[in-house]
Amino acid sequence: SIKKLPLLNVSDWSDQTMNLMAALEKPNSVDRWCIVANGGCSPIALQVVSRSVDGTATFKSPVSNVILSSVPRLQFFLESTDPKKVARSYKTICGLAGKLFWWYSCRKEGAFIQKFSEKNLVADPANLGNQWQRNCYETASGNGGKSKYSTFAFLAGTLQDGCVASLNVLKEHSEKIRIDVIKGKDVRKNNAKSWFWQKRKQPKDALPVKTIQNWIEENRLGGREISIAGRISLAHEDPKGYRDAILSFLSVDVILKI
């Protein structure tokens, strides 16, 4: 029942997640689900929970909590890319340019992946540990080479197709779901970009923009926030802090329900 690779867009990934959840429900008794997602995977989590709320999910137990970490800017959730442009970008990156990029990324058993991660993903390179490069390399070279197409789809912008539909569903059922946020204390901007992503310039005198947390609070969906050590790969950088934040959100939720 697990979807075949490659996973190209939000719906592919959410279908995969729902199929996994349904498979886990069969031999286990699941009272309710909590979905945790990091960074650009947030749209996947929001689509899964919206499918649960509107009754179209493939799993049965309700989703009561969503916890997002290292969340992108609010515009990422509200604005969608041009599907035709994304399709053209994906076709381009699957060609010679993508093959060269993948070869370069995987050469020397993923040396580039290690350097990229140290520069863009973590507060302290030491937090990556000794197995990070090896694990990334094995993932990148696995599945008969098909893994690269999911990465190419991400670089083409397929996960930037907006979450307005999911957010509208959640607004209508705010009494059924809570969404909370884990934030890294290292707030340096990640300057890594894909050539194909939309570039939006902010005027120098622009007012502070709202965050997804602001949107969650305004729509009475939760919005609690806990800061832990780290930058972007928070679960890897501070696993204990990440675990404690999740348990804190769920513990408070139990108290509120009682």
Side-chain angles (χ1 to χ4, degrees):
S1 63
I2 302 302
K3 200 173 181 69
K4 294 181 180 180
L5 292 172
L7 304 175
L8 299 180
N9 53 41
V10 174
S11 294
D12 286 340
W13 284 97
S14 62
D15 286 347
Q16 171 90 325
T17 303
M18 288 190 294
N19 289 342
L20 177 60
M21 293 166 72
L24 289 172
E25 284 181 337
K26 292 179 181 179
N28 301 289
S29 176
V30 179
D31 177 57
R32 59 189 175 121
W33 289 98
C34 169
I35 300 178
V36 182
N38 189 73
C41 291
S42 299
I44 301 168
L46 294 176
Q47 187 171 103
V48 170
V49 71
S50 69
R51 294 281 300 277
S52 174
V53 169
D54 69 14
T56 61
T58 55
F59 57 91
K60 296 180 180 180
S61 299
V63 178
S64 60
N65 298 78
V66 178
I67 299 173
L68 307 178
S69 60
S70 299
V71 288
R73 54 191 174 78
L74 182 59
Q75 287 78 3
F76 174 87
F77 296 92
L78 301 181
E79 299 175 0
S80 60
T81 53
D82 180 353
K84 292 183 179 180
K85 181 178 180 181
V86 170
R88 290 195 300 269
S89 299
Y90 179 70
K91 183 178 180 179
T92 298
I93 201 170
C94 284
L96 179 60
K99 292 178 180 178
L100 290 173
F101 166 74
W102 205 250
W103 168 82
Y104 182 78
S105 298
C106 294
R107 64 191 287 269
K108 298 181 181 179
E109 297 187 339
F112 168 78
I113 299 174
Q114 179 73 20
K115 291 181 179 179
F116 176 90
S117 301
E118 292 177 357
K119 180 180 179 181
N120 296 291
L121 301 183
V122 293
D124 181 358
N127 291 337
L128 291 174
N130 297 325
Q131 299 299 316
W132 178 268
Q133 180 175 332
R134 178 183 176 182
N135 291 340
C136 289
Y137 171 73
E138 290 179 352
T139 300
S141 57
N143 299 306
K146 290 184 178 181
S147 294
K148 64 176 176 287
Y149 294 110
S150 295
T151 301
F152 290 171
F154 170 76
L155 293 174
T158 56
L159 293 186
Q160 293 185 316
D161 56 1
C163 304
V164 173
S166 298
L167 294 175
N168 285 339
V169 171
L170 297 178
K171 280 197 299 184
E172 296 174 2
H173 299 87
S174 59
E175 75 284 355
K176 296 182 180 180
I177 189 74
R178 287 196 63 88
I179 306 174
D180 297 301
V181 176
I182 301 176
K183 182 179 179 181
K185 293 180 180 178
D186 186 334
V187 295
R188 282 179 295 164
K189 184 179 179 181
N190 179 7
N191 292 315
K193 302 292 182 194
S194 167
W195 292 330
F196 303 102
W197 293 352
Q198 295 183 25
K199 298 179 176 63
R200 300 179 179 88
K201 293 183 178 180
Q202 293 288 340
K204 294 181 179 180
D205 58 347
L207 296 173
V209 296
K210 289 184 178 180
T211 65
I212 185 63
Q213 183 196 6
N214 297 141
W215 186 94
I216 294 169
E217 289 179 331
E218 290 173 0
N219 289 280
R220 300 181 180 181
L221 284 160
R224 292 166 293 180
E225 181 181 274
I226 293 178
S227 295
I228 66 172
R231 187 178 176 191
I232 294 176
S233 301
L234 300 181
H236 190 88
E237 295 182 81
D238 185 8
K240 183 179 183 299
Y242 203 83
R243 178 204 64 191
D244 291 346
I246 292 173
L247 292 176
S248 176
F249 287 142
L250 296 181
S251 297
V252 172
D253 187 57
V254 170
I255 293 172
L256 290 174
K257 286 182 180 296
I258 293 174

